[in-house]
Amino acid sequence: MPLRVPTGLPKLDSLLEGGIMKNSMILVTGGTGTGKTILCLQFLWEGLQKGEPCVYLSLEEDPDDIKADARQFGWDLEKYEEKGLFRIMFHDPFETDVSSVLVNQIEYIKAKRLVVDSMSMLGLYMKDQATVRKQLGKLMKAVKNAECTTLVTSEIVEESKALSRFGVEEFVVDGVIVLNYLGIGQEANRSLQIRKMRRTNHGKDIYPFKMTSKGIEIMKEGMGDILK
Ligand SMILES: Nc1ncnc2c1ncn2[C@@H]1O[C@H](COP(=O)(O)OP(=O)(O)OP(=O)(O)O)[C@@H](O)[C@H]1O
Ligand SMILES: [Mg+2]
């Protein structure tokens, strides 16, 4: 039985035999504004509460904005930054070899959890899909060796049938969580689906969720149950 890491979303853990596999790399994907960044922050916050050092690599948003995103849910990341348990950094993938920076940072604070947001930026400067796949594979290996459990985000371009920006990310990673936003009605307008999770008998339904003052809260029943 692989060791499990709780995600910070108790209902998601119950759909994943207790959490995501330790040292795995999971893709959180979805259209814009679906809650990818918030889910990642919730995952890191859970780790910080357990005393686990965490690293957040932003390739797009300003770290101050990300900390402000977190603050609205009561997640005071600065407190952990001061204690040396949390590191957040921005890197322009056009200018930096992100893989090596990342491994240094993980080793420096002995991070147990990592977020890379978003992978799409990392891929934009690569010449083709094969390079994205190879680089992501390399990153995954490096992070696994450092014994870190990782969430990476990718965007789904509107109207696209692919699960990620480049259509290769989902094949490399250990698991894929897809977030959706229907934009109709009040309640069930956001949902989550576990599209793949290696070595896990995971929930197969589409699960509506709400954004509450505590972050993402998955509702008790999946769409299949609701429609019955
Ligand atoms: N305090 C809040 N209460 C309720 N909903 C919120 C709150 N803060 C943000 N949201 C919702 O979450 C969305 C932003 O979530 P998030 O930044 O995680 O999305 P994302 O998928 O990372 O988007 P992006 O494409 O910008 O990276 C907002 O558009 C809004 O709908
Ligand atoms: Mg985001």
Side-chain angles (χ1 to χ4, degrees), residues 14 24 41 45 59 98 115 172 184 188 191 218 221:
S14 74
S24 64
L41 287 167
W45 184 250
L59 299 171
V98 173
V115 165
V172 184
I184 43 165
S191 65
I218 301 173
E221 292 179 328

Side-chain angles (χ1 to χ4, degrees), residues 18 27 46 50 54 59 77 83 92 107 116 122-123 134 145 147 170 172 175 182 184 193 195 218-219:
L27 181 72
E46 171 77 13
K50 294 185 151 63
C54 298
L59 299 171
L77 296 172
K83 286 189 200 165
D92 183 342
E107 286 175 353
V116 182
L122 205 54
K134 199 169 136 204
N145 283 340
E147 304 214 346
E170 59 267 43
V172 184
L182 290 173
I184 43 165
Q193 187 177 20
R195 191 53 186 71
I218 301 173
M219 291 178 215

Side-chain angles (χ1 to χ4, degrees), residues 35-102:
K36 303 182 293 293
T37 296
I38 294 170
L39 190 148
C40 289
L41 287 167
Q42 200 160 339
F43 166 74
L44 291 194
W45 184 250
E46 171 77 13
L48 292 172
Q49 300 316 291
K50 294 185 151 63
E52 299 169 7
C54 298
V55 170
Y56 194 114
L57 174 66
S58 172
L59 299 171
E60 209 159 32
E61 230 185 310
D62 185 83
D64 285 338
D65 289 340
I66 293 167
K67 284 190 266 182
D69 284 350
R71 217 173 295 126
Q72 37 162 12
F73 302 105
W75 306 330
D76 181 3
L77 296 172
E78 262 146 23
K79 192 171 87 189
Y80 289 89
E81 243 181 336
E82 285 158 15
K83 286 189 200 165
L85 273 175
F86 178 62
R87 287 220 152 194
I88 183 162
M89 64 225 157
F90 174 83
H91 274 287
D92 183 342
F94 288 90
E95 289 171 5
T96 325
D97 172 13
V98 173
S99 269
S100 63
V101 172
L102 210 46

